[in-house]
Amino acid sequence: PMSNRVLFFVFLLLYLSSVLGNGLIVALICLDPHLHTPMDFFLCVLSVLDTSYITTTVPQMLVHLLAHSRTISFAGCWLQMYVFCALGLTECIFFVVMAYDRYVAICYPLHYTIILNWRLCTQLAAGTWACGFLFSLVHTFLTMRLPYCGPNRINHYFCEGPSVRNLACTDTQLIDMVDLIISVFVVVTPLSLILASYIRITLAILKIKSTQGRCKAFSTCASHLTVVTLFYAPVTSIYTRPNSSYSPEQDKQISLLYNVFTALLNPMIYSLRNKDIKGAFLKVMGHGRVAW
């Protein structure tokens, strides 16, 4: 149908724009020595996460928009659900690390690079990935163990936990409870820690006497706060509500927001507010040469 072809080209454009935008940020941070700071390292990791996140679902959706048979294998469905959930959980936890980075930069500016040395940065990044994939393994394993003896049509554009469990022909109360506990650990707890960090940051900024200094300090946090809001608002609405209020059509729309559009907007939000990244981009485009 013509509508499917239009959707195909729209989402293909969004996907390529997201991959190119995040890929460009990774390349610039790797190539320019001026961007080898803890904040830029964490931004690089976030770009890798976003690229992996959107690649887990959108290519399969593009195939289904044009194919006559919109199917996915049983193993493929579980793999997609595991990787998507793992990357999502990792990103939830990783935003806390980025908030901690802003906290140290503003509250302890003279000790910033000493506290956030490269060893600690890599440990924090690796730890978030390990936690995300571990929690996802629990979630996916319990979902796989459910009996599926009825219809096999998923009312979603990818294999997401709630939509798959909706096909189970048994009571899913246990896994719903486990999901709620995981949500508390990776959604509510990180949000609380981010809020606590920004309370301390705000108190530190208010002690700055000059208005220009306050504005500069607040501007360094604006990008992170915007990205956190864009990601956590839809995620919270899906994964922290009771299963009785599950709405397939609403979930599909919300999932598009935090899966596709957040990954697309993140590079724009960070690059537009980051003078160093814009400067590195101009060098690459021929206004100078990036030092290796």
Side-chain angles (χ1 to χ4, degrees):
M2 183 61 67
S3 59
N4 281 2
R5 293 181 182 179
V6 173
L7 285 173
F8 173 84
F9 286 110
V10 169
F11 282 108
L12 177 62
L13 179 61
L14 291 174
Y15 173 69
L16 293 177
S17 300
S18 176
V19 172
L20 289 174
N22 284 290
L24 180 61
I25 285 182
V26 172
L28 291 174
I29 291 174
C30 292
L31 293 176
D32 195 334
H34 297 97
L35 298 178
H36 292 177
T37 65
M39 181 185 73
D40 294 313
F41 169 74
F42 293 138
L43 177 56
C44 182
V45 175
L46 179 65
S47 295
V48 172
L49 267 172
D50 284 335
T51 303
S52 305
Y53 200 50
I54 195 172
T55 302
T56 307
T57 58
V58 174
Q60 182 72 39
M61 181 180 69
L62 293 175
V63 171
H64 287 169
L65 283 173
L66 295 182
H68 295 289
S69 177
R70 300 176 183 178
T71 60
I72 184 172
S73 67
F74 190 74
C77 183
W78 297 130
L79 180 62
Q80 185 185 60
M81 182 169 60
Y82 171 67
V83 175
F84 177 82
C85 182
L87 293 171
L89 295 176
T90 300
E91 191 155 338
C92 283
I93 303 170
F94 191 70
F95 280 129
V96 179
V97 175
M98 298 184 75
Y100 177 66
D101 167 75
R102 292 299 81 210
Y103 165 74
V104 175
I106 292 175
C107 296
Y108 304 98
L110 299 179
H111 301 90
Y112 177 55
T113 55
I114 297 175
I115 296 174
L116 282 173
N117 54 64
W118 285 112
R119 181 180 179 182
L120 180 60
C121 288
T122 52
Q123 288 176 343
L124 289 172
T128 56
W129 283 76
C131 289
F133 277 80
L134 178 62
F135 280 125
S136 180
L137 183 63
V138 175
H139 163 84
T140 307
F141 174 75
L142 292 176
T143 304
M144 287 177 64
R145 294 182 70 244
L146 294 173
Y148 298 92
C149 49
N152 61 353
R153 183 181 294 271
I154 299 174
N155 190 7
H156 214 305
Y157 67 91
F158 71 99
C159 293
E160 191 179 33
S163 60
V164 173
R165 287 200 305 274
N166 199 44
L167 302 179
C169 51
T170 187
D171 183 26
T172 60
Q173 186 176 0
L174 174 61
I175 189 172
D176 289 338
M177 183 62 66
V178 172
D179 266 8
L180 182 60
I181 295 172
I182 292 177
S183 297
V184 170
F185 274 107
V186 300
V187 178
V188 179
T189 302
L191 270 176
S192 302
L193 292 173
I194 291 172
L195 180 61
S197 296
Y198 275 100
I199 290 174
R200 295 290 301 273
I201 288 171
T202 303
L203 293 175
I205 291 175
L206 292 176
K207 293 179 182 178
I208 301 175
K209 295 182 179 180
S210 67
T211 305
Q212 184 179 2
R214 291 181 183 178
C215 293
K216 185 178 180 180
F218 271 121
S219 67
T220 62
C221 302
S223 298
H224 180 253
L225 282 172
T226 304
V227 170
V228 166
T229 303
L230 287 173
F231 183 82
Y232 269 105
V235 166
T236 303
S237 68
I238 290 180
Y239 293 103
T240 59
R241 70 184 181 203
N243 195 47
S244 57
S245 60
Y246 172 72
S247 172
E249 295 304 320
Q250 185 181 19
D251 277 12
K252 283 190 285 187
Q253 296 171 6
I254 296 175
S255 295
L256 278 176
L257 179 62
Y258 76 82
N259 181 22
V260 179
F261 291 101
T262 301
L264 174 67
L265 293 174
N266 282 359
M268 300 180 188
I269 293 170
Y270 274 103
S271 60
L272 289 175
R273 301 191 64 88
N274 193 316
K275 293 181 180 179
D276 293 331
I277 289 181
K278 286 190 287 187
F281 178 72
L282 292 176
K283 290 179 184 179
V284 172
M285 295 301 292
H287 294 265
R289 290 190 300 177
V290 176
W292 290 71

